[in-house]
Amino acid sequence: MRLLGKCLCAIAISACAVSAGHAAPLLEPTLHLTPQAGSGRVALTLDACGGQTDTRILSALVDNRIPATIFVTGIWLKRNAAAVEIMRAHPDLFELENHGGRHIPAVDTPQKIYGIRSAGSPDAVLAEVESGAAALTRTGEPAPKWFRGATAEYSSSAIAMIRKLGFKIAGFSINGDGGSLLGAKETARRIAAAKDGDVIIAHINQPTHAAGEGVVQGLLALKQKGLTFVRLDEADGIGNDGTTE
């Protein structure tokens, strides 16, 4: 009986390995702004996954009149009412969009991405997207038009489902802060290197991380160069992998 159990266990492990080996690769979509005459435009997108608010970044955006698209989760919204009120007090600067209800990767097969367990099924992907949108509308914000999933990686089938719900999916062209894990100097260097049409991703929910200081430094460098900041709702964005078309 024990031998049979061991055999069945070995078969199960082997089947899982085969399944994992044949799993479709995940996609990390890009997004660029359509070219436009002038000094150059960039879009700053900031993820508010959970935790608190990096007031260094929020204050710099308000003080320097830098527009940004903020991707918020339902978790972050519950914990950061004061920051939400500041953003709502500056509708010319801030556009709030959907980062999901519970910060779960929009992948419809069971796996972990950067240590975060995926939604794991089509129904769970839909629940993550729809609960994030509902959390935003409950605050009085307009219904979101863009979605960015946790980890910014997706299964192709999940992308198709999200698009059928009417959302564009926000990729990016510059990873500014490496998930808020980079140091201030490297974060500033990456962001300051942005050019016309780039879409920057960084984080506004890690106030204790050095990356936040670098985000501010990089943005001020771009402003000094004369680049114009736009929100995603103010510009046409072109994404690959069927994320915007």
Side-chain angles (χ1 to χ4, degrees):
M1 195 69 179
R2 288 183 180 177
L3 180 59
L4 176 61
K6 288 181 179 180
C7 289
L8 291 174
C9 183
I11 292 170
I13 292 172
S14 176
C16 288
V18 170
S19 176
H22 287 80
L26 298 183
L27 303 173
E28 185 179 272
T30 61
L31 182 67
H32 291 84
L33 306 180
T34 54
Q36 191 177 75
S39 59
R41 303 180 306 161
V42 296
L44 171 64
T45 68
L46 296 169
D47 287 1
C49 311
Q52 303 303 315
T53 303
D54 192 332
T55 56
R56 296 170 297 181
I57 299 174
L58 182 57
S59 296
L61 297 178
V62 173
D63 293 344
N64 293 279
R65 311 299 299 164
I66 296 176
T69 301
I70 315 294
F71 283 90
V72 299
T73 66
I75 297 170
W76 186 87
L77 285 171
K78 288 181 180 179
R79 299 173 179 170
N80 293 273
V84 173
E85 286 306 309
I86 292 172
M87 293 175 186
R88 294 187 68 184
H90 298 278
D92 55 327
L93 295 181
F94 300 109
E95 166 196 6
L96 273 60
E97 294 289 351
N98 184 3
H99 197 32
R102 297 190 294 139
H103 199 248
I104 298 172
V107 175
D108 54 3
T109 54
Q111 56 186 287
K112 285 189 176 181
I113 303 99
Y114 300 117
I116 303 176
R117 193 178 300 278
S118 68
S121 71
D123 285 346
V125 169
L126 295 178
E128 171 71 358
V129 178
E130 292 176 332
S131 63
L136 255 177
T137 55
R138 281 196 297 269
T139 70
E141 285 294 305
K145 296 180 176 62
W146 288 86
F147 175 80
R148 174 180 287 153
T151 75
E153 294 200 5
Y154 311 81
S155 52
S156 59
S157 48
I159 287 175
M161 286 188 288
I162 296 165
R163 293 291 289 124
K164 284 183 179 179
L165 289 176
F167 294 97
K168 292 183 178 181
I169 297 173
F172 54 91
S173 60
I174 291 182
N175 185 339
D177 63 358
S180 192
L181 298 178
L182 294 176
K185 184 176 180 180
E186 176 62 14
T187 298
R189 184 194 68 79
R190 290 189 179 195
I191 292 176
K195 297 179 175 61
D196 181 37
D198 275 325
V199 176
I200 302 164
I201 183 176
H203 292 75
I204 195 171
N205 67 305
Q206 296 289 355
T208 64
H209 290 195
E213 178 185 346
V215 170
V216 173
Q217 293 172 355
L219 294 176
L220 294 182
L222 289 177
K223 186 176 182 183
Q224 185 67 29
K225 291 178 184 179
L227 270 74
T228 299
F229 293 92
V230 296
R231 305 179 317 203
L232 293 184
D233 65 349
E234 299 172 324
D236 292 328
I238 301 174
N240 62 352
D241 297 319
T243 51
T244 62
E245 298 299 327

